[in-house]
Amino acid sequence: MFGRRFRLPNGASSSPRVGQQAHEHSLPVAARLHTPFSNVLRRVGDNCSMRLEPVIAAVLSVMACGAATVSSQVTFARDVAPILEKNCQGCHRPGEAAPFSLLTYQQARPWAKAMKEAVRLKKMPPWFADPLYGKFSNDHSLAVKDVDIIAAWADAGAPEGDPKDLPAPLSFVEGWSIPKPDVVFQPPQAFQIPASGTIEYQKIIVPSGFTEDKWVQFAEARPGDRARIHHMILYVREPGSHWLKDAKPGVFFVAPKPAENENVDTSALPSDFLVGYAPGQPPEILPPGQAKLIKAGSDLVLEIHYTTNGAAATDQGSKFGLVFARVAPKERVLTLSATNGTFKIPPGDPNYRVDAEFQLGTTVKLAGLHPHMHGRGKDFEYRIVYPNGETQTLLRVPRYNWHWQLWYNLAEPIVLPKGAKIECTAHFDNSPNNPDN
């Protein structure tokens, strides 16, 4: 699935064509891009829904040139702690995805040599975009000087320095990466996860209870069992929708599948994608003036993809938190997808190509991109084809890592005219050389 995020002036509307998904629903083969995910056009404005998450973000890492000079008196308190606060502590703190915390000197000291290796090899912070294409506001690549500081600190024996030099600690809301939610939605019942086997995507419908339209500025999906949850998605089912109309609210169920003789793309997104979780995926955090819409009387469709790891467990802590906009937004944000869920990867093929596209039915602002595949995903590329035939590469991810799935937020949103196409190309490795195969 290829996702992107669009923005539209509040009140504008886009035609259904605005989002043709590209998620790889369940790739019998491997990939799924946001709905299981695929490419997600993450933010673009008015309506662009379709499992194409309006979020087309291009990434361009600026590589610093030249060697940086680092003082021989590097200390944790003065030099290293500010780097960790800015780039690492969002994940490296209790309750988050990272396996250890880096909030204090005592926590960081044992990892000094490993930190040096990770930043030298550019394994951390994770960032996978080809620096030749796009420029992104959330590029967490460390500057050369910061890499050299961490390396010098490790080489010097990881000295603590004067605690008075420490920056003021960051403030986090316990259990969330967004401000304290105004409302939290959870499955009304626990889910029993077996020790082994394949678990179909579980859905559960929860009435929103909203009697008036709500504009959401912050949203976050929090898995109750990170070891057994591959992804979570929260969809909005608007009043009058016939999607999953026969499903009973409050009970886990598996969505009906098309008959074998039906050529149906099950990756297509039938609803607006509000927020999702996958390893590495950040919460939805929109600036003032932008928000996602939940209409009065809408239902919320929660989807959770559970996996097994050899031990049975019970999930009763997964939840979705929403923070409402305090002022009326000027732009509506939609997450849509360009999808292709009908392909099959031949056995042993090391470089199988899959394409998807999505044509805009109205003028939008493209804000971010989110490629999503599973274990066989190899590389990913987003392109824009303008009505005059001009083509522009927005993002290229040459070494896709399904263990850490990022959004790529454009440094400057791109205005795309009606009729423009977003093209996505991905390759999959189904050979014995793929360690995740």
Side-chain angles (χ1 to χ4, degrees):
M1 168 197 297
F2 312 103
R4 38 240 190 220
R5 200 190 272 154
F6 301 97
R7 291 202 300 252
L8 294 176
N10 188 6
S13 64
S14 61
S15 105
R17 275 190 90 189
V18 166
Q20 207 181 149
Q21 316 164 166
H23 301 174
E24 305 178 359
H25 208 99
S26 40
L27 297 175
V29 169
R32 216 199 272 134
L33 279 131
H34 238 206
T35 189
F37 309 180
S38 191
N39 282 6
V40 193
L41 268 181
R42 190 178 175 182
R43 237 191 243 168
V44 161
D46 199 0
N47 0 296
C48 290
S49 50
M50 268 185 169
R51 228 162 199 158
L52 205 184
E53 307 191 0
V55 83
I56 276 188
V59 171
L60 174 347
S61 320
V62 178
M63 305 298 292
C65 299
T69 301
V70 177
S71 166
S72 59
Q73 301 301 314
V74 172
T75 68
F76 177 85
R78 186 185 63 237
D79 306 293
V80 176
I83 298 173
L84 300 184
E85 281 197 358
K86 180 180 178 181
N87 301 282
C88 309
Q89 291 180 1
C91 293
H92 285 272
R93 60 188 175 91
E96 298 304 317
F100 55 88
S101 293
L102 291 174
L103 300 180
T104 66
Y105 172 74
Q106 289 72 24
Q107 292 169 343
R109 171 65 184 85
W111 299 98
K113 291 184 179 180
M115 290 165 60
K116 171 187 172 181
E117 180 180 13
V119 299
R120 284 289 195 208
L121 296 177
K122 300 186 183 299
K123 292 182 177 179
M124 289 287 160
W127 189 253
F128 310 114
D130 186 332
L132 297 179
Y133 301 94
K135 184 173 288 189
F136 305 91
S137 62
N138 64 327
D139 182 351
H140 292 300
S141 302
L142 292 184
V144 172
K145 180 179 179 181
D146 291 342
V147 172
D148 290 345
I149 286 173
I150 292 175
W153 175 66
D155 291 342
E160 179 178 12
D162 188 343
K164 294 181 180 179
D165 292 335
L166 285 168
L170 298 179
S171 177
F172 298 103
V173 176
E174 185 176 356
W176 298 97
S177 297
I178 59 174
K180 183 179 179 180
D182 294 312
V183 62
V184 175
F185 291 96
Q186 291 182 267
Q189 59 180 185
F191 185 82
Q192 303 300 322
I193 307 171
S196 60
T198 299
I199 305 173
E200 297 287 346
Y201 291 2
Q202 299 295 312
K203 288 183 169 64
I204 191 165
I205 296 173
V206 178
S208 70
F210 297 154
T211 57
E212 60 181 10
D213 292 352
K214 294 290 188 180
W215 290 96
V216 178
Q217 185 177 353
F218 303 89
E220 184 175 3
R222 299 285 299 188
D225 189 336
R226 292 181 185 272
R228 296 176 177 84
I229 294 179
H230 172 265
H231 79 252
M232 299 167 54
I233 301 176
L234 184 62
Y235 300 105
V236 178
R237 186 175 70 173
E238 295 185 354
S241 171
H242 291 94
W243 180 44
L244 303 174
K245 63 183 180 63
D246 296 325
K248 181 181 178 181
V251 179
F252 280 107
F253 66 95
V254 176
K257 296 182 178 180
E260 292 186 6
N261 59 350
E262 288 185 271
N263 185 23
V264 177
D265 185 351
T266 57
S267 68
L269 181 62
S271 169
D272 190 10
F273 175 109
L274 191 63
V275 68
Y277 158 82
Q281 183 176 353
E284 189 71 69
I285 298 177
L286 303 176
Q290 296 178 15
K292 290 188 169 185
L293 174 63
I294 302 178
K295 293 181 180 180
S298 294
D299 293 324
L300 299 179
V301 180
L302 287 58
E303 177 183 280
I304 304 180
H305 178 195
Y306 292 102
T307 60
T308 57
N309 66 2
T314 299
D315 176 30
Q316 51 188 2
S318 293
K319 56 189 177 181
F320 297 86
L322 309 180
V323 178
F324 302 130
R326 303 309 186 219
V327 297
K330 296 179 180 179
E331 295 179 310
R332 179 181 175 183
V333 175
L334 289 166
T335 295
L336 307 177
S337 303
T339 65
N340 180 341
T342 62
F343 65 93
K344 293 184 178 180
I345 305 173
D349 195 320
N351 199 45
Y352 186 76
R353 175 171 174 160
V354 175
D355 294 291
E357 70 175 38
F358 161 116
Q359 187 169 22
L360 299 173
T362 190
T363 298
V364 300
K365 253 184 217 176
L366 179 60
L369 300 168
H370 179 64
H372 175 91
M373 299 182 285
H374 286 189
R376 297 177 184 86
K378 183 177 181 181
D379 57 58
F380 206 100
E381 179 178 297
Y382 282 97
R383 299 176 300 278
I384 289 292
V385 180
Y386 292 93
N388 63 2
E390 178 186 350
T391 300
Q392 176 186 358
T393 298
L394 297 172
L395 167 68
R396 180 174 292 169
V397 179
R399 287 177 293 279
Y400 179 81
N401 185 340
W402 80 295
H403 297 290
W404 202 252
Q405 302 179 32
L406 299 174
W407 270 103
Y408 297 90
N409 298 329
L410 296 174
E412 294 293 336
I414 300 174
V415 176
L416 300 178
K418 177 181 178 179
K421 290 182 180 179
I422 294 171
E423 294 183 339
C424 304
T425 298
H427 290 88
F428 296 88
D429 182 357
N430 197 24
S431 74
N433 294 325
N434 180 356
D436 288 317
N437 197 3

